[in-house]
Amino acid sequence: MEQQRLKSRAEIPEATKWRLEDIFSSNDQWEKEFAHVEKLLGEGGKFEGHLADNSDTLIACFEWMDDLSLRIEEIYSYARMRRDEDNRMANYQALTERAGALAVKVSSAASFVVPELLAMSEGRLEEFRATAPKLEHYNHALEDIMRKKEHILSSTEEKLLAQVGELAEAPGAIFSMANNADLRFPSIENELGQTVELTKGNYIQFMESPKQGVRQAAFETLYRTYEKQRNTWAATLNASIKSDVFYAKARNYPSAIEASLDDDRVPLKVYDSLVDTVHEFLPQMHRYVQLRKKALRLNELHMYDIYVPIIPETTMTITYEDAKNMVLEGLRPLGRDYTQILEEGFHKKWIDVYENEGKTSGAYSWGTYRSHPYVLLNHQDTLDSMFTLAHEMGHSLHTFFSNRAQPHLYAGYKIFVAEVASTLNEALVMEDLLDKTKDPKILAYLINHYLEQFRGTIFRQTMFAEFEKKIHSVVEEGGALTADNLSEIYRDLNAVYYGTDVILDPEIALEWARIPHFYNAFYVYKYATGFSAAIAFARAILDEGEPAVARYIEFLSSGSSDYPIELLRKAGVNMETPIPVRNALQVFAGLVERLETLLA
């Protein structure tokens, strides 16, 4: 049989590609803006050493910084998204490298500002704020700077740290290029006996195959490929962790995790409470694993059997057009304003839909303040891909509402709340499907999928979070991270989270090697907290209607105008207690029981 292959970028229909020309009409325009930013860098000299002179100078400096930030955001986003279209394109590799280097220069050029503000007497700053109404715009930003006083270094040291920034990004950049541009997987046979090239994009599709042999082949082929460079992956991840630890020590934090959490002003107890609460509900996770083993009629449940739908005969094929319609229907409870913007995103080339050779794997939402948001997908005509569309458009509409309501300074929302909008969309779409589905087999299939969202977003991401905390502790305590001990730590966590009813195939111990989020440390726990907050919002929207929608849209529109914990609290969700996580996991327990009844 003829082997299926990935299409080249040129073979992808134009209608399913995003339109990055909405940021820069051409590479030449990008070059002009690049040159303009290089000139703007020099203007910092007239502010350095003079911020305490008068309020006009301080305001002018803030406006210069904001202008620089807005422009470098566009320069970097355009270059990186162009590169993501096909990572093998040398010209866009070069543009991304140049944009990254320029971003470091921007950071370095403005690195004097925070130390100077901290050196200014509180009386002088208060005098400025009392006499210059324009400074009111910067109140929250100034408060955020002043609270970090003990972690800000001298102007010279801040410049040095800013210049080191490019080196600190190297492990993530090396991983990305190796993982996306250089790594190729062998071909395997699909259910029809066709030879198909395994890719990161179609891996999960293979893992959902009704044939265990296909799942096993995909699983073993993927990890054997990563195994060939296991020591390289370990060295790269180790370097990334050392970078995290270096920055935490340089900024006088007790640990890398506390340095990371402080950016959102999230107490460490929120992180630890998440792990503890999830551990409370691990018996429910193990119950779900037992149900999976029984429903699949397997004598042995392997790690490659974790993703396959429990109800294989109801496998749903969902085209991209179908996916858009399902998402739109599911999100109607959010109101006409929301769904009109959603439709605009579908029709005005916000989205890059299909996988092609060299394209970055996975999915994300990005964009700039002056452009509309963008979404990168690798759509596979599956239910999972439909939910990915809902998820990423949640991010994009969060960005849209925030950009519309907030000035650039406060438009970018913090990562802690970033996953709320995306997972709320998934929850509402799922609730719509569960409400409309009458066929018990399809209903069981959907409940299984919903359980998988809980497993993947709360249990799995919390396991990742626990792994990150453990491996950072090893380095902070003077230990070394090798492929062997990374794999041992990861394997042991899988044993705790999945229980005794699943066989821990040796390959799973290497899964850490392929997770890109580990290069953005202490990020993944926010998927779990965000999912929990999203379930709380979804229940309120479906139960209360318009008042809850109004609170939610206000939350989406708030950007980073306050600390994320406070924004959620104002909207009715208190993440400083274990209640949202516990309530979400009680929904999980109820779904397990419901599925047990359907399958009895």
Side-chain angles (χ1 to χ4, degrees), residues 130-155:
T131 57
K134 264 187 156 183
L135 272 177
E136 188 176 340
H137 172 69
Y138 299 98
N139 275 348
H140 178 61
L142 286 167
E143 178 194 336
D144 200 35
I145 290 168
M146 302 311 287
R147 78 176 178 86
K148 294 179 180 176
K149 191 166 187 173
E150 65 182 297
H151 305 297
I152 305 298
L153 310 180
S154 70
S155 181

PDB file of all heavy atoms in Angstrom, residues 130-155:
ATOM      1  N   ALA A 130       0.706  62.215  43.730  1.00  0.00           N
ATOM      2  CA  ALA A 130      -0.303  63.169  44.202  1.00  0.00           C
ATOM      3  C   ALA A 130      -0.484  64.335  43.234  1.00  0.00           C
ATOM      4  O   ALA A 130      -1.572  64.919  43.150  1.00  0.00           O
ATOM      5  CB  ALA A 130       0.086  63.691  45.584  1.00  0.00           C
ATOM      6  N   THR A 131       0.573  64.681  42.498  1.00  0.00           N
ATOM      7  CA  THR A 131       0.526  65.882  41.650  1.00  0.00           C
ATOM      8  C   THR A 131       0.404  65.580  40.159  1.00  0.00           C
ATOM      9  O   THR A 131       0.188  66.502  39.369  1.00  0.00           O
ATOM     10  CB  THR A 131       1.795  66.736  41.870  1.00  0.00           C
ATOM     11  OG1 THR A 131       2.957  65.924  41.592  1.00  0.00           O
ATOM     12  CG2 THR A 131       1.864  67.245  43.311  1.00  0.00           C
ATOM     13  N   ALA A 132       0.548  64.317  39.775  1.00  0.00           N
ATOM     14  CA  ALA A 132       0.488  63.963  38.348  1.00  0.00           C
ATOM     15  C   ALA A 132      -0.607  62.916  38.138  1.00  0.00           C
ATOM     16  O   ALA A 132      -0.373  61.709  38.323  1.00  0.00           O
ATOM     17  CB  ALA A 132       1.836  63.430  37.869  1.00  0.00           C
ATOM     18  N   PRO A 133      -1.812  63.350  37.749  1.00  0.00           N
ATOM     19  CA  PRO A 133      -2.923  62.406  37.550  1.00  0.00           C
ATOM     20  C   PRO A 133      -2.591  61.283  36.578  1.00  0.00           C
ATOM     21  O   PRO A 133      -3.115  60.173  36.708  1.00  0.00           O
ATOM     22  CB  PRO A 133      -4.040  63.299  36.996  1.00  0.00           C
ATOM     23  CG  PRO A 133      -3.716  64.676  37.464  1.00  0.00           C
ATOM     24  CD  PRO A 133      -2.218  64.749  37.510  1.00  0.00           C
ATOM     25  N   LYS A 134      -1.701  61.546  35.603  1.00  0.00           N
ATOM     26  CA  LYS A 134      -1.350  60.517  34.620  1.00  0.00           C
ATOM     27  C   LYS A 134      -0.714  59.288  35.267  1.00  0.00           C
ATOM     28  O   LYS A 134      -0.777  58.186  34.726  1.00  0.00           O
ATOM     29  CB  LYS A 134      -0.375  61.104  33.590  1.00  0.00           C
ATOM     30  CG  LYS A 134      -1.029  61.601  32.302  1.00  0.00           C
ATOM     31  CD  LYS A 134       0.055  61.980  31.311  1.00  0.00           C
ATOM     32  CE  LYS A 134      -0.482  61.918  29.888  1.00  0.00           C
ATOM     33  NZ  LYS A 134       0.582  62.227  28.913  1.00  0.00           N
ATOM     34  N   LEU A 135      -0.088  59.492  36.422  1.00  0.00           N
ATOM     35  CA  LEU A 135       0.586  58.367  37.090  1.00  0.00           C
ATOM     36  C   LEU A 135      -0.410  57.375  37.688  1.00  0.00           C
ATOM     37  O   LEU A 135      -0.041  56.249  38.008  1.00  0.00           O
ATOM     38  CB  LEU A 135       1.530  58.880  38.188  1.00  0.00           C
ATOM     39  CG  LEU A 135       2.956  59.221  37.752  1.00  0.00           C
ATOM     40  CD1 LEU A 135       3.752  59.782  38.917  1.00  0.00           C
ATOM     41  CD2 LEU A 135       3.668  58.008  37.156  1.00  0.00           C
ATOM     42  N   GLU A 136      -1.672  57.788  37.834  1.00  0.00           N
ATOM     43  CA  GLU A 136      -2.679  56.878  38.377  1.00  0.00           C
ATOM     44  C   GLU A 136      -2.793  55.617  37.521  1.00  0.00           C
ATOM     45  O   GLU A 136      -3.047  54.520  38.021  1.00  0.00           O
ATOM     46  CB  GLU A 136      -4.034  57.593  38.449  1.00  0.00           C
ATOM     47  CG  GLU A 136      -5.097  56.793  39.169  1.00  0.00           C
ATOM     48  CD  GLU A 136      -6.399  57.561  39.306  1.00  0.00           C
ATOM     49  OE1 GLU A 136      -6.388  58.795  39.202  1.00  0.00           O
ATOM     50  OE2 GLU A 136      -7.434  56.897  39.520  1.00  0.00           O
ATOM     51  N   HIS A 137      -2.587  55.794  36.215  1.00  0.00           N
ATOM     52  CA  HIS A 137      -2.603  54.674  35.265  1.00  0.00           C
ATOM     53  C   HIS A 137      -1.600  53.586  35.659  1.00  0.00           C
ATOM     54  O   HIS A 137      -1.805  52.407  35.395  1.00  0.00           O
ATOM     55  CB  HIS A 137      -2.279  55.244  33.874  1.00  0.00           C
ATOM     56  CG  HIS A 137      -2.069  54.218  32.808  1.00  0.00           C
ATOM     57  ND1 HIS A 137      -3.076  53.426  32.314  1.00  0.00           N
ATOM     58  CD2 HIS A 137      -0.946  53.855  32.122  1.00  0.00           C
ATOM     59  CE1 HIS A 137      -2.597  52.626  31.369  1.00  0.00           C
ATOM     60  NE2 HIS A 137      -1.304  52.864  31.237  1.00  0.00           N
ATOM     61  N   TYR A 138      -0.510  53.977  36.334  1.00  0.00           N
ATOM     62  CA  TYR A 138       0.582  53.049  36.646  1.00  0.00           C
ATOM     63  C   TYR A 138       0.525  52.536  38.087  1.00  0.00           C
ATOM     64  O   TYR A 138       1.463  51.867  38.537  1.00  0.00           O
ATOM     65  CB  TYR A 138       1.926  53.735  36.393  1.00  0.00           C
ATOM     66  CG  TYR A 138       2.112  54.161  34.950  1.00  0.00           C
ATOM     67  CD1 TYR A 138       1.864  55.479  34.555  1.00  0.00           C
ATOM     68  CD2 TYR A 138       2.484  53.243  33.981  1.00  0.00           C
ATOM     69  CE1 TYR A 138       2.011  55.861  33.217  1.00  0.00           C
ATOM     70  CE2 TYR A 138       2.625  53.615  32.648  1.00  0.00           C
ATOM     71  CZ  TYR A 138       2.378  54.927  32.284  1.00  0.00           C
ATOM     72  OH  TYR A 138       2.520  55.298  30.957  1.00  0.00           O
ATOM     73  N   ASN A 139      -0.563  52.815  38.816  1.00  0.00           N
ATOM     74  CA  ASN A 139      -0.630  52.465  40.237  1.00  0.00           C
ATOM     75  C   ASN A 139      -0.378  50.985  40.504  1.00  0.00           C
ATOM     76  O   ASN A 139       0.446  50.616  41.342  1.00  0.00           O
ATOM     77  CB  ASN A 139      -1.999  52.857  40.820  1.00  0.00           C
ATOM     78  CG  ASN A 139      -2.033  54.309  41.251  1.00  0.00           C
ATOM     79  OD1 ASN A 139      -1.002  54.965  41.334  1.00  0.00           O
ATOM     80  ND2 ASN A 139      -3.224  54.829  41.509  1.00  0.00           N
ATOM     81  N   HIS A 140      -1.099  50.116  39.792  1.00  0.00           N
ATOM     82  CA  HIS A 140      -0.939  48.682  40.055  1.00  0.00           C
ATOM     83  C   HIS A 140       0.463  48.208  39.668  1.00  0.00           C
ATOM     84  O   HIS A 140       1.078  47.417  40.394  1.00  0.00           O
ATOM     85  CB  HIS A 140      -1.990  47.869  39.306  1.00  0.00           C
ATOM     86  CG  HIS A 140      -1.860  46.383  39.503  1.00  0.00           C
ATOM     87  ND1 HIS A 140      -1.963  45.787  40.745  1.00  0.00           N
ATOM     88  CD2 HIS A 140      -1.600  45.373  38.618  1.00  0.00           C
ATOM     89  CE1 HIS A 140      -1.785  44.478  40.620  1.00  0.00           C
ATOM     90  NE2 HIS A 140      -1.559  44.209  39.355  1.00  0.00           N
ATOM     91  N   ALA A 141       0.976  48.702  38.543  1.00  0.00           N
ATOM     92  CA  ALA A 141       2.328  48.321  38.113  1.00  0.00           C
ATOM     93  C   ALA A 141       3.360  48.759  39.148  1.00  0.00           C
ATOM     94  O   ALA A 141       4.295  48.009  39.473  1.00  0.00           O
ATOM     95  CB  ALA A 141       2.636  48.944  36.754  1.00  0.00           C
ATOM     96  N   LEU A 142       3.199  49.971  39.670  1.00  0.00           N
ATOM     97  CA  LEU A 142       4.139  50.472  40.688  1.00  0.00           C
ATOM     98  C   LEU A 142       4.033  49.651  41.971  1.00  0.00           C
ATOM     99  O   LEU A 142       5.048  49.315  42.586  1.00  0.00           O
ATOM    100  CB  LEU A 142       3.869  51.955  40.976  1.00  0.00           C
ATOM    101  CG  LEU A 142       4.324  52.927  39.888  1.00  0.00           C
ATOM    102  CD1 LEU A 142       3.744  54.313  40.111  1.00  0.00           C
ATOM    103  CD2 LEU A 142       5.841  53.000  39.820  1.00  0.00           C
ATOM    104  N   GLU A 143       2.815  49.329  42.365  1.00  0.00           N
ATOM    105  CA  GLU A 143       2.624  48.492  43.556  1.00  0.00           C
ATOM    106  C   GLU A 143       3.316  47.144  43.388  1.00  0.00           C
ATOM    107  O   GLU A 143       3.967  46.635  44.315  1.00  0.00           O
ATOM    108  CB  GLU A 143       1.127  48.278  43.799  1.00  0.00           C
ATOM    109  CG  GLU A 143       0.818  47.375  44.995  1.00  0.00           C
ATOM    110  CD  GLU A 143      -0.629  46.892  45.012  1.00  0.00           C
ATOM    111  OE1 GLU A 143      -1.492  47.566  44.409  1.00  0.00           O
ATOM    112  OE2 GLU A 143      -0.887  45.831  45.613  1.00  0.00           O
ATOM    113  N   ASP A 144       3.215  46.562  42.198  1.00  0.00           N
ATOM    114  CA  ASP A 144       3.820  45.258  41.934  1.00  0.00           C
ATOM    115  C   ASP A 144       5.345  45.346  42.002  1.00  0.00           C
ATOM    116  O   ASP A 144       6.009  44.424  42.479  1.00  0.00           O
ATOM    117  CB  ASP A 144       3.373  44.754  40.561  1.00  0.00           C
ATOM    118  CG  ASP A 144       3.556  43.253  40.417  1.00  0.00           C
ATOM    119  OD1 ASP A 144       3.377  42.527  41.417  1.00  0.00           O
ATOM    120  OD2 ASP A 144       3.890  42.801  39.306  1.00  0.00           O
ATOM    121  N   ILE A 145       5.895  46.457  41.521  1.00  0.00           N
ATOM    122  CA  ILE A 145       7.350  46.650  41.583  1.00  0.00           C
ATOM    123  C   ILE A 145       7.801  46.809  43.032  1.00  0.00           C
ATOM    124  O   ILE A 145       8.755  46.162  43.481  1.00  0.00           O
ATOM    125  CB  ILE A 145       7.769  47.880  40.752  1.00  0.00           C
ATOM    126  CG1 ILE A 145       7.603  47.592  39.253  1.00  0.00           C
ATOM    127  CG2 ILE A 145       9.218  48.282  41.061  1.00  0.00           C
ATOM    128  CD1 ILE A 145       7.711  48.820  38.372  1.00  0.00           C
ATOM    129  N   MET A 146       7.093  47.647  43.777  1.00  0.00           N
ATOM    130  CA  MET A 146       7.538  47.957  45.140  1.00  0.00           C
ATOM    131  C   MET A 146       7.472  46.741  46.052  1.00  0.00           C
ATOM    132  O   MET A 146       8.292  46.596  46.957  1.00  0.00           O
ATOM    133  CB  MET A 146       6.705  49.104  45.723  1.00  0.00           C
ATOM    134  CG  MET A 146       6.754  50.402  44.908  1.00  0.00           C
ATOM    135  SD  MET A 146       8.425  50.958  44.451  1.00  0.00           S
ATOM    136  CE  MET A 146       9.039  51.540  46.030  1.00  0.00           C
ATOM    137  N   ARG A 147       6.504  45.836  45.808  1.00  0.00           N
ATOM    138  CA  ARG A 147       6.403  44.654  46.684  1.00  0.00           C
ATOM    139  C   ARG A 147       7.560  43.684  46.463  1.00  0.00           C
ATOM    140  O   ARG A 147       7.821  42.830  47.304  1.00  0.00           O
ATOM    141  CB  ARG A 147       5.057  43.961  46.475  1.00  0.00           C
ATOM    142  CG  ARG A 147       4.958  43.102  45.245  1.00  0.00           C
ATOM    143  CD  ARG A 147       3.638  42.359  45.132  1.00  0.00           C
ATOM    144  NE  ARG A 147       3.582  41.582  43.904  1.00  0.00           N
ATOM    145  CZ  ARG A 147       4.067  40.354  43.778  1.00  0.00           C
ATOM    146  NH1 ARG A 147       4.628  39.757  44.807  1.00  0.00           N
ATOM    147  NH2 ARG A 147       4.000  39.716  42.616  1.00  0.00           N
ATOM    148  N   LYS A 148       8.248  43.814  45.331  1.00  0.00           N
ATOM    149  CA  LYS A 148       9.365  42.909  45.031  1.00  0.00           C
ATOM    150  C   LYS A 148      10.725  43.534  45.361  1.00  0.00           C
ATOM    151  O   LYS A 148      11.759  43.079  44.874  1.00  0.00           O
ATOM    152  CB  LYS A 148       9.335  42.519  43.547  1.00  0.00           C
ATOM    153  CG  LYS A 148       8.123  41.685  43.149  1.00  0.00           C
ATOM    154  CD  LYS A 148       8.150  41.372  41.666  1.00  0.00           C
ATOM    155  CE  LYS A 148       6.955  40.531  41.242  1.00  0.00           C
ATOM    156  NZ  LYS A 148       6.921  40.307  39.787  1.00  0.00           N
ATOM    157  N   LYS A 149      10.702  44.568  46.191  1.00  0.00           N
ATOM    158  CA  LYS A 149      11.909  45.354  46.445  1.00  0.00           C
ATOM    159  C   LYS A 149      13.112  44.494  46.846  1.00  0.00           C
ATOM    160  O   LYS A 149      14.223  44.690  46.359  1.00  0.00           O
ATOM    161  CB  LYS A 149      11.619  46.388  47.534  1.00  0.00           C
ATOM    162  CG  LYS A 149      12.711  47.435  47.700  1.00  0.00           C
ATOM    163  CD  LYS A 149      12.217  48.614  48.527  1.00  0.00           C
ATOM    164  CE  LYS A 149      13.276  49.707  48.523  1.00  0.00           C
ATOM    165  NZ  LYS A 149      12.779  50.951  49.163  1.00  0.00           N
ATOM    166  N   GLU A 150      12.873  43.512  47.705  1.00  0.00           N
ATOM    167  CA  GLU A 150      14.003  42.700  48.191  1.00  0.00           C
ATOM    168  C   GLU A 150      14.568  41.765  47.123  1.00  0.00           C
ATOM    169  O   GLU A 150      15.627  41.169  47.304  1.00  0.00           O
ATOM    170  CB  GLU A 150      13.577  41.884  49.414  1.00  0.00           C
ATOM    171  CG  GLU A 150      12.510  40.839  49.132  1.00  0.00           C
ATOM    172  CD  GLU A 150      12.078  40.080  50.366  1.00  0.00           C
ATOM    173  OE1 GLU A 150      12.928  39.378  50.956  1.00  0.00           O
ATOM    174  OE2 GLU A 150      10.889  40.186  50.739  1.00  0.00           O
ATOM    175  N   HIS A 151      13.860  41.634  46.011  1.00  0.00           N
ATOM    176  CA  HIS A 151      14.298  40.724  44.946  1.00  0.00           C
ATOM    177  C   HIS A 151      14.859  41.466  43.719  1.00  0.00           C
ATOM    178  O   HIS A 151      15.227  40.834  42.736  1.00  0.00           O
ATOM    179  CB  HIS A 151      13.139  39.831  44.518  1.00  0.00           C
ATOM    180  CG  HIS A 151      12.520  39.080  45.652  1.00  0.00           C
ATOM    181  ND1 HIS A 151      13.211  38.143  46.389  1.00  0.00           N
ATOM    182  CD2 HIS A 151      11.280  39.163  46.206  1.00  0.00           C
ATOM    183  CE1 HIS A 151      12.423  37.659  47.332  1.00  0.00           C
ATOM    184  NE2 HIS A 151      11.247  38.271  47.249  1.00  0.00           N
ATOM    185  N   ILE A 152      14.900  42.793  43.791  1.00  0.00           N
ATOM    186  CA  ILE A 152      15.443  43.593  42.694  1.00  0.00           C
ATOM    187  C   ILE A 152      16.865  43.988  43.033  1.00  0.00           C
ATOM    188  O   ILE A 152      17.156  44.420  44.155  1.00  0.00           O
ATOM    189  CB  ILE A 152      14.580  44.860  42.448  1.00  0.00           C
ATOM    190  CG1 ILE A 152      13.109  44.469  42.220  1.00  0.00           C
ATOM    191  CG2 ILE A 152      15.114  45.654  41.272  1.00  0.00           C
ATOM    192  CD1 ILE A 152      12.854  43.611  41.013  1.00  0.00           C
ATOM    193  N   LEU A 153      17.761  43.852  42.083  1.00  0.00           N
ATOM    194  CA  LEU A 153      19.187  44.112  42.307  1.00  0.00           C
ATOM    195  C   LEU A 153      19.549  45.527  41.874  1.00  0.00           C
ATOM    196  O   LEU A 153      18.698  46.307  41.450  1.00  0.00           O
ATOM    197  CB  LEU A 153      20.005  43.074  41.547  1.00  0.00           C
ATOM    198  CG  LEU A 153      19.585  41.610  41.762  1.00  0.00           C
ATOM    199  CD1 LEU A 153      20.464  40.671  40.967  1.00  0.00           C
ATOM    200  CD2 LEU A 153      19.603  41.239  43.241  1.00  0.00           C
ATOM    201  N   SER A 154      20.819  45.834  41.964  1.00  0.00           N
ATOM    202  CA  SER A 154      21.282  47.151  41.523  1.00  0.00           C
ATOM    203  C   SER A 154      21.136  47.275  40.009  1.00  0.00           C
ATOM    204  O   SER A 154      20.963  46.276  39.302  1.00  0.00           O
ATOM    205  CB  SER A 154      22.749  47.343  41.897  1.00  0.00           C
ATOM    206  OG  SER A 154      23.556  46.490  41.089  1.00  0.00           O
ATOM    207  N   SER A 155      21.218  48.501  39.520  1.00  0.00           N
ATOM    208  CA  SER A 155      21.073  48.740  38.081  1.00  0.00           C
ATOM    209  C   SER A 155      22.092  47.945  37.276  1.00  0.00           C
ATOM    210  O   SER A 155      21.762  47.326  36.255  1.00  0.00           O
ATOM    211  CB  SER A 155      21.209  50.235  37.786  1.00  0.00           C
ATOM    212  OG  SER A 155      21.062  50.484  36.420  1.00  0.00           O
TER     213      SER A 155
END
